[in-house]
Amino acid sequence: MSAATLSSSIRLARAAFPEREDQPLGPMDAWALGMMSRVRGAFSRSAAREVRLFRRAMQSRLEAMSALSQTQLLNALRESARGAMARGNDPMLHEALLLAGELSARTLGMRPFPTQLVGAATLLRGRLAEMQTGEGKSLTAGVAACVVASAGIPVHVVTVNDYLAERDALAIEPLMQAAGLSVAAALHGQAPDRKRAAYRSDVVYCTGKELVFDYLRDRVASQGRVSAAQLGARRLFGSLTDEPLLRGLHFAIVDEADSIFIDEARTPLILAERAGEVDYAQEIPRALDLARGLALGVDVLFDERRRELNLTRAGREHLEHLCRGWPGPWQVVHVREHLALQALRAIHLFHRDRHYLIDDESCVQIIDEYTGRVLPGRTWELGLHQMIECKEGVPATQRTETLARITFQRFFARYLRLSGMTGTAREMARELAVVYRLQTVVIPVHRPSARRRHADLVCADEHSKWTRVAIEVQARQSRGQPVLVGTRSVEASERLSHCLSAQGIEHAVLNARQDAQEAGIIARAGQPGAVTVATNMAGRGTDVVLAEGVEQLGGLCVILTEYHESARIDRQLLGRCARQGQRGEALAIVALDDDVMIRHVPWAGRVLRALGRPPALLVHLARRRAQRRAERMHARIRRDTLKSDWQLERSMGFAGDPL
C-alpha cells in the first residue's frame, strides 16, 4: 500500500512530486458543483446516525479490543487502514478508527467520543467536518492522521499558527510513536535541513502560510513545475542544488478550515526576495506630504467599505499642478499618481495598532486581522510598506521582488485528498464545495450545550460602550466569575485596558504584542475572577480550562465588544464558553458607531442613532445587513483574486526548464 492509492483516479500535475492538476472552473461547472453540494447534503448519511453506530460498536467491541496485544492491535490497525483508504469501505473505516481510538486510550489516556470518531471518518472521506468549539478537534485530527499514515500515506495537518502546530505535534507524538509512525512540526524560521527532515515524517503539523511558502520555494528551486523524471535527471547530472522541502501533496487535514480557506484566501501568497532600495525611495517623504494636502471627496474618492482610494479628475489636475517644476518621477503621470495613491493608502487605509504595530526593534509588523497575531516577515507590496515605515518614522526596509505566487484556493485544490474541520462552516458550504470540492458535514455535539446567551446591549457610541463593558466586567469579577472580553484590534484592546485600569479592575491583555505569552494568559483565563481582554480569538485554538468551582459561579462569561464583518467569527468567539456541556454565559455589548456599521450600513447607523434607544429588532436587522454586505464583498474579492491568479498563470506562468 502506498500513496498511489489516492492518485489512481486523479489527474496528476506535471510536477516533481505527487499533486493534483488544478484547472479553472467555468460558470456552469461552478453552478453544478454548488447544486451537487446541496443535493449531497440532503441525501447523505446522517452524522447523528453514524454517531449511534459508533456508540454501539464501542459498547460491543471495547472488551475485545482491550484484550488485544500491542502487536495485534497495530497489525489490525494497518490492515484495516489500508483497506479503508484503498476501497473507501465504511465497515473497514469504522474498524480502523475504533482501533486507533483504542491506541489513543492506551497512549494518551483519551478515548475519542463517538462524535469525534464521526468527525475523523468525515475527514478520511475527504470532507469538511463542522464540529462545535470545544468538541475536541485536535484529537479528532490526530486519530484521522494516524489512520491515514498507517495506510502508508503522508499527511499534512494544517493549522493557523506555529504555536498550535508545535503544541499538537508534541501532544499527539505518543500515539504516533506507538503506531510506528514519525511526527514533526515544520515551523517558520527553521533551518532548511531541519524543515526538510520534518516534511519527511509520516505526519507533519504546519501552518497554512508556511506550507504554501515552502511549496513555492520548491517550485522556484526546481525552476518551475518540472516532472519527477526531470528532477531525477537533474540529480544525475548534478544540476540540482537542493532536494525539495516537500515530498508531495498527498493528504491534508486543515484545522480552522474556514479561517484558512475563506478568511485568508482574499490575498495571494507571494514569495519574494530583498532586491535593494525601493524605487524612488528619496521621494517617499514628499509623497506623504503631498497626499496630506489632497482633499477626500474632492481630489480623492474614498470607499471605506471596499477600502479603496482613487484620484478624481480634479485630483489628477490638482496633483499635476502641485508637482509642476518638480524633478524626475513627478513629471511622469503614472509614476506620480502611483506614489500619491500609495501615500494616500498609507495614511487613510492602514492604521497603527489595528493593521500593524511597531515592535521593540522599531520595525513595522503586519497584524493578521482575523487572528490578531503578528505575521512575521510579511510586507506589503509596491512600496506601500516603505510608505508606512516613513509615516511612522522607522528605518526603511528594502523592496521585495516577486519570485512566485499562488492563492490558497489553487494550492489546496492540488492535494490528492483534502479534508478540513472547523466550528463554523455552514454559511460558506457552497463556496467550499465549488472552490475546494469539499462537502460540509455537521457533526452533533457530544453533550447538549448549556450556554446562556443574553440579549445584546447596544450603546450610542464607543465611549459609552467601554464604560458599560467595565461595569459588566466589574459586576462579574466581584462574584468570582471569570470573563473573556473579545475586541477586534490591538488599539481597541488597549483602550479597554486603560478603561478597566481606571476602574481598578485587574486584568490581562492578549493581543499581537503578547503572542509569546499566549499559553500562560489563556491558562489563567479560567481562574476565579480572572479578566482577560483578547483580540480576535478566532484561530487561537486553545481551550480556556475552568478552575474548580468556577462552573458553579456561572462558568466563563464571554463578552463580544464589536460585531465582526463575518457572523462566523462572532460565533467562534462566543463559542469559547460553555464547552462540552459546561455552564457559560455570552453577551454582546456593541455601539452604533462601530466600524462594521459605519462601513457597511452608514445610513442605518444614522437612523438608529437618531432614534436614541432603537428597538433590538432593528439593530439585529441592521447588523445582519452589514455582515451580509461585507461577506458578499469579501466573496467577490476572493473570486477576483482567484481569477487574477489564473490570468497571471496563463500570461506568465513558470517556464519549466527541460533539464
Side-chain angles (χ1 to χ4, degrees), residues 8 64 81 85 104 117 120 144 170 174 242 247 271 293 315 337 350 374 402 419 423 431 445 472 494 500 604:
S8 58
M85 298 309 298
S104 172
L117 293 177
L170 288 172
D242 287 309
R247 56 172 173 153
L271 181 67
E337 290 185 1
F350 294 89
V374 164
T402 298
S419 63
E431 184 171 347
V445 294
E472 195 72 32
E494 293 181 347
L500 294 176

Side-chain angles (χ1 to χ4, degrees), residues 85-255:
M85 298 309 298
R87 294 185 287 276
N89 182 283
D90 270 359
M92 297 194 81
L93 182 71
H94 287 188
E95 179 71 9
L97 288 169
L98 288 168
L99 292 166
E102 171 64 24
L103 191 60
S104 172
R106 294 184 185 186
T107 56
L108 302 178
M110 294 186 292
R111 186 180 299 278
F113 301 129
T115 51
Q116 290 173 306
L117 293 177
V118 172
T122 302
L123 298 176
L124 297 179
R125 295 182 183 116
R127 297 172 184 170
L128 190 142
E130 180 180 282
M131 298 179 68
Q132 293 298 312
T133 304
E135 287 294 302
K137 292 192 286 292
S138 296
L139 182 59
T140 299
V143 169
C146 181
V147 171
V148 176
S150 295
I153 302 170
V155 190
H156 293 158
V157 183
V158 185
T159 186
V160 291
N161 60 67
D162 280 342
Y163 165 72
L164 292 179
E166 188 171 27
R167 182 202 70 179
D168 289 350
L170 288 172
I172 209 70
E173 189 173 21
L175 170 62
M176 298 302 175
Q177 287 180 341
L181 303 169
S182 55
V183 61
L187 308 174
H188 177 74
Q190 280 180 335
D193 289 345
R194 186 179 176 190
K195 185 177 285 186
R196 190 176 291 109
Y199 280 122
R200 295 298 182 270
S201 300
D202 299 307
V203 179
V204 184
Y205 282 79
C206 53
T207 67
K209 287 188 174 73
E210 196 65 20
L211 178 62
V212 173
F213 284 126
D214 288 336
Y215 173 83
L216 292 177
R217 289 183 186 104
D218 281 345
R219 288 187 64 182
V220 170
S222 64
Q223 301 170 26
R225 295 177 73 186
V226 301
S227 68
Q230 289 169 336
L231 191 65
R234 288 182 184 178
R235 289 194 191 98
L236 181 64
F237 292 105
S239 60
L240 182 69
T241 56
D242 287 309
E243 285 287 330
L245 290 168
L246 304 179
R247 56 172 173 153
L249 305 181
H250 299 276
F251 197 114
I253 298 172
V254 181
D255 193 10

